[in-house]
Coordinates of all heavy atoms in Angstrom, one line a residue:
L1 N 86.4 111.5 115.3 CA 87.2 112.6 114.9 C 86.5 113.9 114.5 O 86.9 115.0 114.9 CB 88.2 112.2 113.7 CG 89.2 111.2 114.0 CD1 89.9 110.8 112.7 CD2 90.3 111.8 114.9
G2 N 85.4 113.7 113.9 CA 84.5 114.8 113.5 C 83.9 115.5 114.6 O 83.8 116.7 114.7
Q3 N 83.6 114.8 115.7 CA 83.0 115.4 116.9 C 84.1 116.1 117.8 O 83.8 117.0 118.6 CB 82.3 114.4 117.7 CG 81.0 113.8 117.1 CD 79.9 114.9 116.9 OE1 79.6 115.5 117.9 NE2 79.4 115.0 115.7
T4 N 85.3 115.7 117.6 CA 86.4 116.1 118.5 C 87.3 117.2 117.9 O 87.5 118.2 118.4 CB 87.2 114.9 119.1 OG1 87.8 114.2 118.0 CG2 86.4 114.1 120.0
V5 N 87.9 116.8 116.7 CA 88.9 117.7 116.2 C 88.7 118.2 114.7 O 89.3 119.1 114.3 CB 90.4 116.9 116.1 CG1 90.8 116.6 117.6 CG2 90.3 115.7 115.3
L6 N 87.7 117.7 114.1 CA 87.4 118.1 112.7 C 86.3 119.2 112.6 O 86.0 119.7 111.5 CB 87.1 116.9 111.8 CG 88.2 116.0 111.5 CD1 87.7 114.7 110.7 CD2 89.4 116.7 110.7
G7 N 85.6 119.4 113.7 CA 84.6 120.4 113.7 C 83.3 120.2 112.9 O 82.7 121.1 112.3
F8 N 82.9 118.9 112.8 CA 81.7 118.6 112.0 C 80.5 119.3 112.6 O 80.3 119.3 113.9 CB 81.4 117.1 112.1 CG 82.3 116.3 111.2 CD1 83.3 116.8 110.4 CD2 82.1 114.9 111.0 CE1 84.1 116.1 109.5 CE2 82.8 114.1 110.1 CZ 83.9 114.7 109.4
Q9 N 79.7 119.8 111.7 CA 78.4 120.5 112.1 C 77.3 119.4 112.2 O 76.4 119.4 111.5 CB 78.0 121.6 111.1 CG 79.0 122.7 111.1 CD 78.8 123.6 109.8 OE1 79.3 123.4 108.7 NE2 78.0 124.7 110.1
L10 N 77.5 118.6 113.3 CA 76.7 117.4 113.4 C 76.6 117.1 114.9 O 77.6 117.3 115.7 CB 77.4 116.2 112.8 CG 76.7 114.9 112.7 CD1 75.4 114.9 111.8 CD2 77.7 113.8 112.1
S11 N 75.4 116.7 115.4 CA 75.1 116.4 116.8 C 75.3 114.9 117.0 O 75.0 114.0 116.0 CB 73.9 116.9 117.2 OG 72.8 116.1 116.6
I12 N 75.4 114.4 118.2 CA 75.4 113.0 118.6 C 74.1 112.4 118.3 O 74.0 111.3 117.7 CB 75.8 112.9 120.0 CG1 77.4 113.3 120.1 CG2 75.7 111.4 120.4 CD1 77.8 113.3 121.6
P13 N 72.9 113.0 118.7 CA 71.6 112.4 118.4 C 71.4 112.3 116.9 O 70.7 111.3 116.5 CB 70.6 113.3 119.0 CG 71.4 114.0 120.1 CD 72.8 114.2 119.6
Q14 N 71.8 113.2 116.1 CA 71.7 113.0 114.7 C 72.3 111.8 114.1 O 71.8 111.0 113.2 CB 72.2 114.3 113.9 CG 71.4 115.5 114.0 CD 72.1 116.7 113.5 OE1 73.3 116.8 113.3 NE2 71.3 117.8 113.2
I15 N 73.5 111.4 114.7 CA 74.2 110.2 114.4 C 73.4 109.0 114.8 O 73.1 108.1 114.1 CB 75.6 110.2 114.9 CG1 76.4 111.3 114.3 CG2 76.3 108.9 114.5 CD1 77.8 111.5 115.0
V16 N 73.2 109.0 116.2 CA 72.6 107.7 116.9 C 71.1 107.4 116.4 O 70.9 106.3 116.1 CB 72.7 108.0 118.4 CG1 71.9 106.8 119.1 CG2 74.1 108.1 118.9
V17 N 70.4 108.5 116.3 CA 68.9 108.3 115.8 C 69.0 107.8 114.4 O 68.1 106.9 114.1 CB 68.2 109.6 116.1 CG1 66.8 109.5 115.4 CG2 68.1 110.0 117.5
T18 N 69.7 108.3 113.6 CA 69.7 107.9 112.2 C 70.1 106.4 112.1 O 69.5 105.6 111.3 CB 70.7 108.7 111.3 OG1 70.4 110.1 111.4 CG2 70.5 108.3 109.8
I19 N 71.2 106.0 112.8 CA 71.6 104.6 112.8 C 70.6 103.7 113.4 O 70.2 102.7 112.8 CB 72.9 104.5 113.6 CG1 74.0 105.2 112.8 CG2 73.3 102.9 113.8 CD1 75.4 105.2 113.6
A20 N 69.9 104.1 114.5 CA 68.9 103.3 115.2 C 67.7 103.1 114.3 O 67.1 102.0 114.2 CB 68.5 104.0 116.5
F21 N 67.4 104.3 113.6 CA 66.1 104.2 112.7 C 66.5 103.1 111.6 O 65.6 102.4 111.1 CB 65.8 105.5 112.2 CG 64.7 105.6 111.1 CD1 63.4 105.6 111.6 CD2 64.9 105.6 109.8 CE1 62.4 105.7 110.7 CE2 63.9 105.7 108.9 CZ 62.6 105.7 109.4
C22 N 67.6 103.3 111.0 CA 67.9 102.3 109.8 C 68.0 100.8 110.3 O 67.4 100.0 109.6 CB 69.3 102.7 109.3 SG 69.3 104.2 108.2
A23 N 68.6 100.7 111.5 CA 68.6 99.3 112.0 C 67.2 98.7 112.3 O 66.9 97.6 111.9 CB 69.5 99.3 113.3
T24 N 66.3 99.5 112.9 CA 65.0 99.1 113.2 C 64.2 98.8 111.9 O 63.5 97.8 111.9 CB 64.3 100.2 114.1 OG1 65.0 100.5 115.2 CG2 62.9 99.7 114.4
L25 N 64.4 99.7 111.0 CA 63.6 99.5 109.7 C 64.0 98.3 109.0 O 63.2 97.4 108.4 CB 63.7 100.8 108.9 CG 63.0 100.8 107.5 CD1 61.5 100.6 107.7 CD2 63.3 102.0 106.7
E26 N 65.4 98.0 109.0 CA 65.9 96.8 108.3 C 65.5 95.5 109.0 O 65.1 94.5 108.5 CB 67.4 96.9 108.1 CG 68.0 95.7 107.7 CD 68.7 95.9 106.3 OE1 68.0 96.5 105.5 OE2 69.8 95.4 106.1
L27 N 65.5 95.6 110.3 CA 65.1 94.5 111.2 C 63.6 94.1 110.8 O 63.2 93.0 110.6 CB 65.2 94.7 112.7 CG 66.6 94.5 113.3 CD1 66.7 95.1 114.7 CD2 67.0 93.0 113.2
A28 N 62.8 95.2 110.8 CA 61.3 95.0 110.5 C 61.1 94.4 109.1 O 60.3 93.4 109.0 CB 60.6 96.3 110.7
V29 N 61.8 94.9 108.2 CA 61.6 94.4 106.7 C 62.1 93.0 106.7 O 61.5 92.1 106.0 CB 62.3 95.4 105.7 CG1 62.3 94.7 104.4 CG2 61.6 96.7 105.8

C-alpha cells in the first residue's frame, strides 16, 4: 500500500536489502 497508494518515501531496494541483510545476519548468528 505504501508503494502504490500511500506515497511512502521509500524504495523497493531499501525494503528488500534491509530484510535480506537481517535474515542473513540472523542465519549466521
